[in-house]
Amino acid sequence: MPPMSDEIDPPFNHQDPEQETGPQTGLLLRPRVKNKKPQLYKVILLNDDYTPMEFVVHVLERFFHKNRQEATDIMLHVHRRGVGICGIFTHEIAETKVAQVLDFARQNEQPLQCMMEEE
Ligand code: TYC
């Protein structure tokens, strides 16, 4: 038996009429199932000397759904160490989060920087 791999089709299930025919079109086509793991991206906040701590905590609550304690811990980590991870997402979601943070920072005239990085 070859080891299970993302590249190999899952076992064909003859008992599942959806798998036998796909949507009920009458065509006997074996479906090609998409099962590759997506590349993930860390969304990272960068420290600066000007953005208020409370603003960073608010960003983490608003865009990364952190509670007050989690948001405070991440903010303090970034403040002390220079960078910190807000979350890990697929490419499209990470891109959206970065854009949301940068837009919100600009709208509020804060220099807060945010970027994404391959996991
Ligand atoms: N260093 C900032 C201050 O002392 C706080 C801060 C934390 C700024 C995290 C940005 O990503 C950041 N007000």
Side-chain angles (χ1 to χ4, degrees):
M1 271 283 274
M4 283 293 275
S5 153
D6 287 348
E7 309 298 333
I8 295 173
D9 286 344
F12 190 67
N13 179 358
H14 290 276
Q15 276 152 335
D16 179 353
E18 282 280 308
Q19 239 190 12
E20 196 88 41
T21 61
Q24 299 295 305
T25 60
L27 283 171
L28 281 164
L29 295 174
R30 187 162 185 200
R32 297 276 143 203
V33 178
K34 166 179 89 181
N35 57 2
K36 280 180 100 146
K37 290 187 210 127
Q39 170 71 56
L40 296 178
Y41 295 80
K42 296 179 281 214
V43 172
I44 289 165
L45 273 184
L46 306 183
N47 188 37
D48 65 72
D49 292 338
Y50 301 101
T51 307
M53 290 184 173
E54 189 48 49
F55 184 85
V56 180
V57 170
H58 178 73
V59 163
L60 289 159
E61 291 174 332
R62 178 167 174 157
F63 299 112
F64 298 94
H65 311 291
K66 302 299 182 188
N67 65 37
R68 179 55 63 126
Q69 187 61 59
E70 293 165 338
T72 302
D73 291 348
I74 294 169
M75 181 280 296
L76 285 173
H77 177 94
V78 176
H79 176 70
R80 290 173 182 143
R81 309 287 298 271
V83 290
I85 299 172
C86 311
I88 297 174
F89 307 97
T90 57
H91 190 274
E92 193 181 351
I93 307 269
E95 238 175 20
T96 302
K97 300 280 180 196
V98 170
Q100 286 173 330
V101 172
L102 295 178
D103 285 352
F104 187 66
R106 262 184 232 120
Q107 282 162 22
N108 289 279
E109 301 178 316
Q110 299 300 337
L112 182 63
Q113 288 300 307
C114 182
M115 52 190 254
M116 59 195 273
E117 191 175 272
E118 267 186 27
E119 252 280 270

